[in-house]
């Protein structure tokens, strides 16, 4: 039922026919003050259990209060319920005998009222097969965003199998998200704003692209059909890059008469490293239809970041090592978190996994504490992991556009510059453009540089050629850097009453 108030407001700015059409679409409760949606309690763990976990880990009461607020915030931003209660992630078909890149389950139209999608966008979710770092086939989850009006490009390969399909192939962007967390509940496909909202996926869909976005193995779906746990291999760029490629292949098989053969890959931060990893993988394992990669603020190497953090602050290092430890353990079974972390560090890392805490929880639980052991660097794990996972200095399938904000304090610009340089030195014919943005921060580079990456992607689908050789561009603002909004001042909320969407 729509309240009287809504209709009056709506009539002020819309035509009557639109009001009538809208009133069929959504039923609002009568206007009331919205409860604090940061304090919602869903899922298997109630706040008393959560508090007990924090107490056992030795977390003081005042910090535990802050962690629980962050936990409530995360849970109030889930799409519906815990992944542990959502049948989509629970009834997992067997992947036995399957290769990577095959759809296992398709939810053609997800329940949009559980998400904060922009108008004119439709959502699907899939389970599909991918590979972990050592090539083991594993199931994973992904979302697919559909635009109301897909872009049409003459250069796309026409459908050959379906003479009855009159629509044009819909262009695909494979999207690799930045760090959402380290456990099942942190999968973007069950977060209301799909984690990167207007920073990339919403914008891509509104611009007419179909967005195919894996959660990355271990996020969202965290177990296979036999109940075996799937660890998220954070920072394993070739594996996460493979997740993007295999999600695209699976989506193409699930919707053969809708999707184009052609695709562009784009990612940011952890996903920038994944996108670059995908481009390297495509150099040795080509896939038909690949057009190029955008790597935004790429996390190219955990080792480089650890070394950089060591110089900046031990707390930044300890926090990083805590974030890396689950991945390292899944690649090297002999690794123990206590090889790197103090007792407090181990306790907090375990508590975070037990709570299924994601980025918000980690900010309250592990950020700012000195968690690394002084002798952590006597171990060989990070060097070995880096040898298997780092980007740069290697052949990649191009072209590639690297975006970097020069005021990024999450992925240090000198590390990205060095990785670009190493690549261009080793392979001077690389089709690599390094676009730097003066005074711009980590995620904000996706906004400040939005026309740059959207134009670049459009050119790939139009078949515009790219000259060989590395190229650098520096973008500077027309006013002082400080005259621009620097970082986010808002969070995307779920509207519960009609007055909230006026
Ligand atoms: C808001 O919270 C109060 C107290 O927790 C509860 O009684 C009420 O049902 C909630 N209202 C809505 C609309 O959720
Ligand atoms: C870590 O957890 C253990 C087990 O609950 C507890 O005995 C110990 O005091 C904790 N250590 C620290 C440093 O908080
Ligand atoms: C959450 O809400 C409950 C009751 O609705 C209240 O008792 C509790 O103090 C709130 N917690 C926080 C952290 O706001
Ligand atoms: C979609 O989710 C809403 C909100 O939880 C629920 O009321 C509705 O029944 C769901 N629709 C379907 C088709 O499951
Ligand atoms: C490969 O990695 C998986 C985890 O992704 C692990 O379970 C498996 O034992 C590893 N296999 C080999 C041969 O190392
Ligand atoms: C076209 O025909 C195929 C079978 O050849 C069928 O699977 C598909 O649904 C048809 N598509 C349309 C849009 O009718
Ligand atoms: C088209 O048909 C060929 C031959 O049957 C098959 O190999 C290919 O996978 C099909 N392509 C699509 C998009 O269904
Ligand atoms: C780790 O040790 C190596 C030498 O073995 C050194 O080059 C590097 O700077 C050290 N890194 C950190 C973060 O301490
Ligand atoms: C952090 O802990 C290490 C030992 O683990 C110690 O050497 C260092 O002084 C500590 N730094 C701070 C800022 O507490
Ligand atoms: C990268 O290369 C550019 C130009 O060749 C040079 O100015 C810069 O110092 C190099 N940076 C690093 C970190 O190697």
């Amino acid at each position: 039922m729509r309240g009287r108030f809504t209709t009056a407001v709506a009539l002020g700015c819309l035509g009557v026919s639109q009001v009538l059409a809208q009133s069929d679409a959504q039923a609002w409760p009568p206007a009331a003050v919205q409860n604090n949606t940061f304090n919602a309690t869903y899922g298997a763990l109630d706040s008393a259990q959560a508090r007990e976990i924090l107490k056992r880990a030795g977390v003081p009461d005042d910090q535990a209060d802050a962690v629980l607020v962050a936990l409530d915030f995360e849970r109030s931003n889930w799409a519906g319920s815990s992944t542990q209660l959502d049948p989509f992630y629970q009834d997992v078909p067997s992947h036995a005998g399957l290769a990577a890149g095959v759809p296992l389950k398709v939810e053609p139209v997800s329940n949009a009222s559980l998400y904060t999608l922009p108008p004119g966008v439709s959502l699907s979710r899939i389970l599909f097969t991918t590979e972990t770092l050592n090539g083991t086939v594993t199931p994973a989850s992904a979302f697919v965003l559909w635009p109301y009006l897909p872009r049409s490009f003459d250069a796309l390969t026409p459908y050959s199998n379906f003479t009855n399909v009159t629509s044009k192939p819909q262009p695909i962007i494979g999207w690799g998200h930045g760090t959402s967390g380290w456990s099942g509940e942190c999968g973007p496909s069950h977060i209301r704003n799909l984690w990167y909202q207007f920073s990339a996926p919403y914008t891509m869909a509104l611009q007419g692209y179909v967005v195919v976005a894996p959660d990355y193995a271990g996020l969202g779906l965290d177990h296979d059909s036999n109940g075996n746990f799937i660890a998220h291999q954070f920072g394993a760029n070739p594996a996460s890059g493979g997740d993007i490629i295999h999600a695209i292949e699976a989506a193409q098989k699930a919707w053969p008469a809708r999707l184009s053969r052609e695709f562009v890959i784009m990612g940011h931060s952890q996903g920038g490293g994944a996108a670059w990893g995908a481009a390297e993988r495509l150099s040795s394992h080509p896939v038909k239809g690949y057009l190029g990669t955008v790597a935004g603020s790429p996390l190219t190497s955990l080792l480089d970041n650890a070394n950089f953090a060591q110089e900046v602050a031990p707390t930044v290092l300890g926090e990083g090592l805590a974030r890396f430890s689950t991945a390292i353990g899944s690649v090297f079974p002999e690794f123990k978190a206590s090889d790197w972390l103090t007792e407090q560090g181990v306790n907090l890392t375990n508590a975070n996994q037990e709570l299924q805490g994601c980025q918000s929880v980690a900010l309250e639980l592990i950020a700012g504490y000195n968690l690394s052991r002084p002798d952590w660097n006597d171990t060989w794990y990070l060097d070995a992991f880096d040898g298997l996972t780092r980007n740069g200095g290697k052949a990649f399938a191009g072209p590639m556009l690297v975006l970097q904000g020069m005021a990024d304090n999450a992925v240090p610009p000198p590390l990205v510059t060095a990785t670009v340089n190493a690549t261009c030195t080793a392979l001077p014919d690389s089709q690599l453009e390094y676009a730097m943005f003066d005074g711009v921060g980590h995620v904000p580079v996706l906004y400040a540089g939005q026309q740059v990456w959207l134009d670049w992607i459009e050119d790939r689908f139009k078949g515009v050629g790219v000259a060989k050789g590395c190229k650098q561009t520096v973008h500077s603002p027309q006013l002082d850097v400080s005259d621009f909004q620097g970082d986010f001042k808002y969070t995307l909320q779920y509207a519960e009453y009609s007055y909230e969407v006026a």
Side-chain angles (χ1 to χ4, degrees):
M1 277 274 136
R2 279 166 68 86
R4 281 177 295 119
F5 181 66
T6 316
T7 311
V9 169
L11 282 171
C13 61
L14 299 176
V16 173
S17 61
Q18 285 164 291
V19 171
L20 293 176
Q22 257 193 17
S23 64
D24 293 336
Q26 190 147 22
W28 296 101
V33 174
Q34 185 173 141
N35 281 346
N36 177 6
T37 58
F38 288 22
N39 183 11
T41 305
Y42 298 111
L45 285 169
D46 63 28
S47 60
Q49 278 174 280
R51 190 174 282 283
E52 194 45 46
I53 287 170
L54 293 168
K55 202 186 268 302
R56 257 190 281 125
V59 175
D61 282 349
D62 55 342
Q63 191 194 351
D65 287 344
V67 172
L68 290 176
V69 170
L71 192 63
D72 275 342
F73 173 69
E74 284 178 356
R75 291 175 179 192
S76 69
N77 280 290
W78 287 347
S81 70
S82 163
T83 55
Q84 308 303 317
L85 303 173
D86 184 339
F88 177 76
Y89 304 94
Q90 290 310 307
D91 310 329
V92 186
S94 168
H95 65 281
L98 294 177
V102 176
L104 290 173
K105 185 193 235 183
V106 176
E107 181 179 73
V109 182
S110 304
N111 187 344
S113 66
L114 301 175
Y115 294 82
T116 52
L117 300 179
V121 160
S122 177
L123 180 73
S124 305
R125 295 185 295 186
I126 61 172
L127 299 184
F128 68 102
T129 52
T130 184
E131 288 164 81
T132 64
L133 188 61
N134 67 12
T136 306
V137 175
T138 188
S141 47
F143 69 80
V144 179
L145 272 185
W146 302 94
Y148 179 90
L149 280 184
R151 271 187 190 231
S152 148
F153 292 101
D154 291 339
L156 297 184
T157 310
Y159 299 119
S160 50
N161 297 23
F162 302 102
T163 48
N164 58 342
V165 176
T166 52
S167 61
K168 293 229 179 146
Q170 304 182 22
I172 302 169
I173 302 178
W175 164 245
H177 65 86
T179 306
S180 57
W182 308 265
S183 56
E185 300 291 9
C186 313
S189 69
H190 107 118
I191 296 176
R192 283 180 180 171
N193 64 19
L194 302 177
W195 187 239
Y196 258 65
Q197 38 141 319
F198 286 98
S199 304
Y202 290 1
T203 300
M204 291 164 172
L206 293 168
Q207 286 294 318
Y209 299 100
V210 179
V211 184
V212 178
D215 288 332
Y216 305 137
L219 303 181
L221 183 67
D222 68 358
H223 60 278
D224 67 15
S225 58
N226 296 319
N228 298 312
F229 175 69
I230 302 165
H232 171 48
Q233 297 183 320
F234 177 81
N237 290 327
S240 309
D243 292 342
I244 303 176
I245 297 166
H246 297 313
I248 293 169
E249 291 171 327
Q252 286 170 322
K253 292 187 182 104
W255 290 282
R258 275 203 226 166
L259 292 176
S260 61
R261 172 193 280 182
E262 287 77 7
F263 62 93
V264 166
I265 286 173
M266 176 163 171
H268 182 261
S269 194
Q270 177 187 354
W276 195 319
E280 288 177 348
R281 183 188 177 105
L282 286 161
S283 156
S284 51
H285 301 77
V287 172
K288 276 207 178 102
Y290 169 69
L291 298 176
T293 292
V294 181
S297 325
L299 182 59
T300 56
S301 155
L302 298 190
L303 178 67
D304 289 356
N305 273 268
N307 285 334
F308 191 90
Q310 172 89 328
E311 285 166 30
V312 178
T315 52
V316 177
L317 174 68
E319 182 189 336
L321 295 182
R323 286 162 186 254
F324 306 165
S325 57
T326 347
I328 305 289
S330 90
V331 176
F332 307 116
E334 56 273 61
F335 172 81
K336 297 185 300 300
S338 58
D339 292 332
W340 280 2
L341 302 175
T342 59
E343 185 181 292
Q344 185 195 16
V346 173
N347 281 6
L348 298 188
T349 304
N350 291 343
N352 193 36
Q353 291 298 120
E354 251 190 286
L355 293 170
Q356 297 265 305
C358 306
Q359 277 283 46
S360 303
V361 169
L363 284 171
E364 296 299 334
L365 189 60
I366 62 175
Y369 295 86
N370 188 13
L371 305 177
S372 54
R373 285 170 59 116
D375 60 350
W376 78 272
N377 194 25
D378 297 345
T379 64
W380 52 268
Y381 301 108
L382 193 53
D383 287 316
F385 184 80
D386 202 61
L388 297 170
T389 60
R390 71 177 294 131
N391 299 140
K394 298 173 206 161
F396 66 91
M400 179 156 64
L401 170 67
V402 178
L403 304 168
Q404 182 65 29
M406 299 318 273
D408 190 327
N409 55 19
V411 168
L415 300 186
V416 177
T417 303
T419 308
V420 167
N421 281 10
T423 306
C424 294
T425 305
L427 301 145
D429 280 347
S430 297
Q431 292 171 297
L432 192 160
E433 177 180 344
Y434 185 29
M436 290 165 273
F437 295 79
D438 275 345
V440 174
H442 187 56
V443 180
V445 77
L446 295 174
Y447 293 80
Q450 194 179 86
Q451 359 170 3
V452 172
W453 59 263
L454 280 174
D455 286 357
W456 193 93
I457 289 171
E458 185 178 3
D459 281 349
R460 301 292 77 73
F461 283 107
K462 282 182 172 163
V464 175
V466 175
K468 283 189 175 171
C470 288
K471 180 176 150 190
Q472 298 196 352
T473 44
V474 179
H475 299 275
S476 300
Q478 53 167 333
L479 306 173
D480 279 357
V481 161
S482 60
D483 291 340
F484 292 88
Q485 176 64 35
D487 221 317
F488 291 90
K489 291 282 189 196
Y490 60 84
T491 185
L492 204 54
Q493 273 287 343
Y494 195 50
E496 291 182 12
Y497 303 97
S498 62
Y499 65 83
E500 294 172 319
V501 295

